[in-house]
Amino acid sequence: MKLLANGLQIEVDDTGGEGRPVALLIMGLGMQLVGWPQDFVQALVDAGFRVVRHDNRDIGLSQGFDHAGTGNIVWESIRQRLGLQVRSAYTLQDMARDSLGVLDALGIKQAHVIGASMGGMIAQHLAAEAPDRVASLVSIMSSSGARGLPGPRSDVAAMLLRRPLGGGEAELVAHSIRLLRIIQSPAYPQSTEALAERLRFSMRRAYRPAGMFRQMLAIGADARRPEVLPRIKCPTLVLHGEADALVPMACGLDTAKRIPGAKFVSIPGMGHDLPPEICAILAHHIAPFLHAAEEHHKP
């Protein structure tokens, strides 16, 4: 369903369940709400939570910003390395307010906020800017954004800048599989057939590469998040794969270090993806953490 959130049309999926505590899931760069595997969603539902997912602005079925153009990502990357402000069509703070708008539209006063990758960055802003609305924060395979942290492994960085060999579905799927293969969880590789099926489903739902580039610029423009993290007061769990080649584990460690009282858990064999085995491991850590946070908020 589409809801008006922060003045935008945002696509939302809600498992429902009046009276249940709410888990708001925020996905990462260029990823749609269907990027949260159904097994993970169901594990949270089975643990007693109402799960709300949404397409971030400019991705999936949510409102786009094509009128803003895509900018020059190479030039903006140079500006970032020189310590200059990256120019973007919108900010991660704007995207956090979109997420808050989803809660408003659904009449939800407070939620446990779970973000993956860029979604973790958005969730961090939401927890800092609307502390009364966030019961707890879970930041998965994300970063504090602090200068000096390691970036993607060199082969991953090169692959991110590579263009598909063609514009047809088969070429786009093959290109995406090549990227997923080098950032996947080495302990839990997925079959090419499973990856292709998931990618085809996602692309047929929506394919918006320009939106992904604008989101990438929003990440680059988010230079002050390290100063924001110490303001987070809610219970916080930081989860990160030990084999993450896109956002190295040092980024997760730095996130936990900057948030008062945050708990850090590293996941052996996990890269930058959510295969079924990793979803089960994450749910094993997250469900009891959310229940504990619920107890923390009881009068």
Side-chain angles (χ1 to χ4, degrees):
M1 59 179 172
K2 275 197 173 57
L3 298 175
L4 186 65
N6 192 28
L8 302 177
Q9 292 292 325
I10 300 294
E11 182 72 15
V12 176
D13 179 80
D14 180 4
T15 63
E18 285 297 321
R20 285 181 164 219
V22 176
L24 175 69
L25 309 187
I26 308 177
M27 210 358 116
L29 174 68
M31 297 291 288
Q32 304 175 54
L33 66 84
V34 293
W36 291 105
Q38 193 57 43
D39 287 350
F40 180 73
V41 173
Q42 191 60 49
L44 294 180
V45 170
D46 292 345
F49 294 90
R50 172 185 176 183
V51 179
V52 175
R53 299 175 289 171
H54 64 285
D55 287 335
N56 288 313
R57 62 167 65 192
D58 227 1
I59 284 296
L61 304 180
S62 287
Q63 188 169 326
F65 283 74
D66 288 340
H67 61 277
T70 55
N72 186 325
I73 196 159
V74 174
W75 173 239
E76 294 302 331
S77 298
I78 294 171
R79 286 176 60 87
Q80 184 181 33
R81 285 197 292 272
L82 293 173
L84 301 174
Q85 180 62 41
V86 172
R87 295 165 294 197
S88 59
Y90 45 78
T91 66
L92 295 188
Q93 293 98 316
D94 293 328
M95 299 175 80
R97 292 175 193 124
D98 296 345
S99 298
L100 184 61
V102 169
L103 297 182
D104 290 340
L106 293 172
I108 296 170
K109 293 182 178 179
Q110 193 175 63
H112 301 277
V113 181
I114 303 171
S117 198
M118 181 191 73
M121 303 171 195
I122 295 168
Q124 293 162 21
H125 275 295
L126 183 54
E129 294 184 15
D132 56 323
R133 307 295 297 278
V134 179
S136 71
L137 167 65
V138 181
S139 183
I140 305 170
M141 55 188 179
S142 193
S143 177
S144 66
R147 291 183 68 84
L149 287 173
R153 203 172 61 202
S154 59
D155 58 332
V156 177
M159 188 65 201
L160 286 171
L161 295 175
R162 202 167 295 160
R163 293 183 178 275
L165 297 177
E169 183 181 88
E171 292 92 348
L172 295 172
V173 167
H175 176 80
S176 295
I177 287 175
R178 286 192 289 272
L179 172 60
L180 292 175
R181 282 286 177 229
I182 59 175
I183 65 172
Q184 70 180 352
S185 297
Y188 309 101
Q190 299 181 73
S191 70
T192 298
E193 293 75 18
L195 291 175
E197 181 181 2
R198 195 180 83 215
L199 287 164
R200 282 193 293 267
F201 173 75
S202 179
M203 288 178 182
R204 290 171 186 177
R205 183 177 185 265
Y207 178 63
R208 300 169 67 182
M212 184 189 73
F213 282 115
R214 285 187 288 269
Q215 289 185 353
M216 198 178 295
L217 289 175
I219 294 172
D222 196 43
R224 300 192 64 183
R225 198 167 69 260
E227 304 164 26
V228 170
L229 297 185
R231 291 167 27 203
I232 297 174
K233 304 303 180 188
C234 66
T236 299
L237 174 64
V238 178
L239 298 163
H240 214 105
E242 294 180 5
D244 195 328
L246 180 62
V247 182
M249 192 171 68
C251 300
L253 282 165
D254 194 69
T255 301
K257 183 181 73 174
R258 292 173 186 272
I259 299 175
K263 179 183 178 182
F264 178 81
V265 176
S266 64
I267 312 295
M270 176 183 173
H272 202 85
D273 64 346
L274 296 172
E277 300 88 347
I278 289 296
C279 286
I281 293 169
L282 294 177
H284 173 76
H285 288 288
I286 292 171
F289 169 77
L290 299 188
H291 285 303
E294 281 290 299
E295 292 298 318
H296 174 82
H297 285 282
K298 283 185 178 177

